[in-house]
Amino acid sequence: MRLAKFSFFSMITCLALGLFLATSSPVGAQKAQMGQGSAQQQDMQEKMQRMQEIGKELQSVQEETLEDNPELQERQEALETLVQDTMDQNMAEQGVNMEELKALQSKMQSQDLNATTEEELKREWQTKVQAYQQARTQTMSDEEVQKKQEEFRGDMIQAMEEKEPKTESMLEELEELQQEMQAMQQGMMQRQQGKKGQQGKKGQEEAQE
């Protein structure tokens, strides 16, 4: 699946989505997420929404800037092709695509799932999300992608700041939100691992009895 139009800032919100996918599962979300976990997921949703809002503002400035700079437009298109081709290749290697994730999410939102089917879909979802994460990590770690992205980012931001002085402050807020979401993700994963450890220990004790 090829993006119709590349935007450096729309890519940021896509990465935020990938981060959110890693810490959420639509299978029985309201049933499974209670108390602190549910509150944290709500907080993550709000942060992601804010990141999308900032991304839209920055994208608007970016588009206006590009209209006045044909050379940056050409570099943007070249970066679009490089990122998308690299991501497509990595996702193919991991055996996952966005259409599969969307279709699986739709199935998991059904109210008619029995417990067995729900658990099977949940395991499949987690496997696909992990594969997506791996492909994303490979893409953003690619040496050529990193080099071209940094070159374009620096020149793009410089041109945007000349048009919109608030660009720097918006980018700082966006980076802060990303760091907060990453910290929340790590905390949630640690708690999940702790619960699994406690459940395993309890099961062993019950078996011994």
Side-chain angles (χ1 to χ4, degrees), residues 33 36 40 52-53 65 87 96 100 120 161 180 187 194 199:
Q33 299 295 334
Q36 186 179 12
Q40 285 195 332
Q52 291 172 337
E53 291 173 355
T65 303
M87 186 65 179
V96 65
E100 288 180 340
E120 290 175 352
E161 287 176 340
E180 290 175 358
Q199 290 173 353

Side-chain angles (χ1 to χ4, degrees), residues 7-200:
S7 165
F8 174 76
F9 302 104
S10 64
M11 183 171 69
I12 288 176
T13 57
C14 285
L15 295 181
L17 175 60
L19 183 65
F20 180 72
L21 284 174
T23 57
S24 64
S25 170
V27 175
Q30 294 181 350
K31 295 183 293 182
Q33 299 295 334
M34 300 295 289
Q36 186 179 12
S38 178
Q40 285 195 332
Q41 282 214 334
Q42 178 63 31
D43 192 12
M44 288 187 71
Q45 288 177 328
E46 292 175 356
K47 290 183 187 302
M48 187 172 68
Q49 181 177 356
R50 176 56 183 156
M51 290 177 72
Q52 291 172 337
E53 291 173 355
I54 297 173
K56 288 180 180 179
E57 293 181 49
L58 289 169
Q59 185 171 346
S60 178
V61 178
Q62 182 187 29
E63 289 173 353
E64 293 178 9
T65 303
L66 287 171
E67 289 178 1
D68 300 330
N69 196 322
E71 187 269 336
L72 276 178
Q73 287 185 40
E74 293 180 2
R75 289 174 58 188
Q76 178 198 46
E77 293 171 359
L79 181 57
E80 169 195 358
T81 300
L82 175 62
V83 171
Q84 188 65 67
D85 287 349
T86 305
M87 186 65 179
D88 285 346
Q89 179 179 347
N90 289 330
M91 290 183 73
E93 291 176 357
Q94 295 297 326
V96 65
N97 60 62
M98 292 306 298
E99 285 76 11
E100 288 180 340
L101 282 172
K102 291 177 181 178
L104 185 57
Q105 186 174 30
S106 296
K107 291 180 182 179
M108 296 166 77
Q109 291 173 338
S110 172
Q111 301 297 319
D112 300 325
L113 296 177
N114 58 45
T116 300
T117 302
E118 183 176 300
E119 186 61 30
E120 290 175 352
L121 288 174
K122 182 178 180 180
R123 286 196 297 268
E124 184 179 358
W125 168 264
Q126 292 172 339
T127 299
K128 292 295 185 183
V129 167
Q130 289 174 357
Y132 168 83
Q133 281 187 294
Q134 182 64 31
R136 184 196 65 194
T137 299
Q138 289 175 332
T139 299
M140 301 316 296
S141 299
D142 183 87
E143 184 175 346
E144 186 177 4
V145 169
Q146 287 184 335
K147 179 181 177 181
K148 295 298 184 181
Q149 180 181 321
E150 285 304 311
E151 291 175 351
F152 175 75
R153 182 181 188 277
D155 293 342
M156 185 74 249
I157 291 175
Q158 181 178 354
M160 288 172 64
E161 287 176 340
E162 294 176 1
K163 182 172 288 292
E164 174 51 77
K166 293 190 300 182
T167 295
E168 183 176 359
S169 63
M170 287 191 288
L171 286 170
E172 289 175 353
E173 182 181 357
L174 193 61
E175 182 178 0
E176 182 178 345
L177 287 167
Q178 284 180 296
Q179 292 174 351
E180 290 175 358
M181 287 187 68
Q182 289 173 348
M184 292 175 69
Q185 178 197 32
Q186 292 174 354
M188 291 177 69
M189 292 178 65
Q190 289 173 357
R191 281 191 294 276
Q192 289 173 356
Q193 292 173 353
K195 288 180 180 179
K196 290 180 180 178
Q198 291 176 357
Q199 290 173 353

